[in-house]
Amino acid sequence: MDGSKGPSDGDAAEDAGDGNKDRTPGGQEAGAGASDAVLAAGSFRITASDGRAPWAAPGAKPKVVYHDPSIPRPQDVYLIRVNNCNSPFDHVWLERSEDGTRPIHPLEKLPVEQFIDRNVPESEPVRPADVDDTPFTLVEDLKGLTELVNKLKDVNEFAVDLEHNQYRSFQGLTCLMQISTRTEDFIIDTLKLRIYIGSYLKELFKDPTKRKVMHGADRDIMWLQRDFRVYVCNLFDTGQASRVLQMERNSLEHLLHHFCGVTANKTYQNADWRSRPLSDEMIKYAREDTHYLLYIYDLMRLRLQRESTCENDLLLEVQKRSNDICLQLYEKELLTDKSYLHIYGLQEHELAAAQLAVVSALHQWRDYIAREQDESTGYVLPNKALIEIAKKMPTTTADLRRIVKSKYPCVEDNFDLILDIVWNATENSGAFEAIAEQLKKVRLGELDLKSIVDAGEVIEMAPSDADNVGINFDPADQYSLAPSSTANIRVTSNSRDSLMTDATLTGSIWLHDKTPTIPSSENKTSWSLSGLTRQSNKEAMSNNKQVRHTSSICSHCIFWGVFM
């Protein structure tokens, strides 16, 4: 299970720099930080030889850290390349509707009744062997993945779960995939094997004759689509079944205890699943998420059959709900001119128009940096710090440094630029007078925030001729998991999500048109925002010269201009 499914501490996670989404304390910016999440970027950890913190009491269990700054970014270790451009996610492996307006999930063509097996044995299902007595395979290479695929071809059902992490990546990364059959447990290292998961597993997950059992699959379904282009047919969600059965609680922890008498060790619920190698404790925790799931499925299916009536078909209801989860399609979060209104905690502050203008401008800058560097927005500039800058509107480097306290590397590298953004935003504050008044009405309960946000328009970051992408593979390339090995894929035109479909088979991408760059304070003289520029070079001011320069996220994602 993903650590973010647990409780979260928004401020702690924010200080750790985690998170990407602005909307809720349990969202991506808040992450699922435990108390250890207060370790800021760049801090270090001291542990005793037995893994305990040196100040911990003897015999105390070591704390499990969700945000470990000592772990190198998987994007760097495994050469993971992600398309973070501010354009819709392209489900390129799906068929399109006749009019070409939308992708068609393979499940749409299949009747729900096809997945309901009413031949439920009345005999009590056989409980599986304990985790320690069950064969286990950690899949870390293509040989292991091939062997797993062959085994899954011979079974009619298997259980699935994912471990996910949001720290220091814009959209998040799937770190592990757990799969259990009736006789074996498997854990796939989806960071190391990321480029192969889709091509090897997509047909098995799409196969309507194979039952996939998952618990609380809503986000897992999204991650499968986003990271691997894997789409699921024939799902039984035990979380939905527990709701239909009106059980006391719907968590997997409760189902394990209720049906199996197993007390789940939730210590690792908030673990940093990017960590390698996996500890024995992490492996056991991950295995328990799927090891008993087919047995729980058997018991729940039997109960659903027994409690169904002609008027209330519980098996059908669970299947409909499971199908609805599968039919959801992943959508990338897009930056709009109203996205800043989603920032968690913003509504608690009564901000003037000028301060709102700063919030909007900093939010756009943060989004751009996070997309380009594949960082979580909270790592670039947490919500709390962003709002504080907007409230105080610093005019000098010293003022800004007092606010952020040197905790955020991306801010440290762009002090002058941020001051320019603040200055230009305040000059542009007239455009935010109406929004400031509307937010006052929201706080008074006289207006719904949704009505304001829904009016937002996606910020255009692409030139008008950015339509197609051409990808040329060198067939002589041998794809390797080694970080030093790269395949020759060349993007010959402007980029879309479609490039990542086939480009996920490589370790590196060269963008011919433009290369991702961030303007440094040395070669920047002014920042443009809505046509306003704060001159920071006297010679440029006297000559009244402004030369347009743009910085690209990828080959077609162009952010607002920087003037030199």
Side-chain angles (χ1 to χ4, degrees), residues 502-556:
D502 294 320
T504 48
L505 298 176
T506 183
S508 187
I509 298 173
W510 288 268
L511 305 176
H512 281 191
D513 296 341
K514 301 177 182 68
T515 56
T517 55
I518 301 175
S520 67
S521 57
E522 286 78 12
N523 59 25
K524 173 195 64 60
T525 57
S526 62
W527 180 266
S528 170
L529 182 65
S530 300
L532 295 169
T533 58
R534 174 197 179 197
Q535 292 288 350
S536 57
N537 182 292
K538 292 181 179 179
E539 183 177 353
M541 188 181 299
S542 61
N543 293 335
N544 197 27
K545 292 181 180 179
Q546 294 182 342
V547 181
R548 179 74 179 240
H549 172 73
T550 58
S551 179
S552 64
I553 298 176
C554 67
S555 63
H556 89 288

Side-chain angles (χ1 to χ4, degrees), residues 106 110 201-209 212 231-233:
L110 303 172
L201 294 179
K202 65 177 181 178
E203 293 302 324
L204 290 166
F205 277 79
K206 189 174 72 173
D207 188 344
T209 67
K212 275 69 67 174
Y231 301 86
V232 178
C233 293

Side-chain angles (χ1 to χ4, degrees), residues 16 43 91 124 189 232 237 242 259 270 345 406 435 459 461 463 486 533 548 557:
S43 62
H91 293 270
E124 198 70 17
D189 188 335
V232 178
D237 190 319
S242 68
F259 288 113
N270 294 330
S406 303
I435 292 290
I459 293 177
M461 292 184 179
T486 57
T533 58
R548 179 74 179 240
C557 294

Side-chain angles (χ1 to χ4, degrees), residues 38 78 183 216 280 344 424 445 449 454 465 477 540:
V38 296
Y78 303 109
T183 58
D280 291 342
Y344 178 72
N424 279 320
L449 178 64
D454 286 348
D465 61 345
D477 282 322

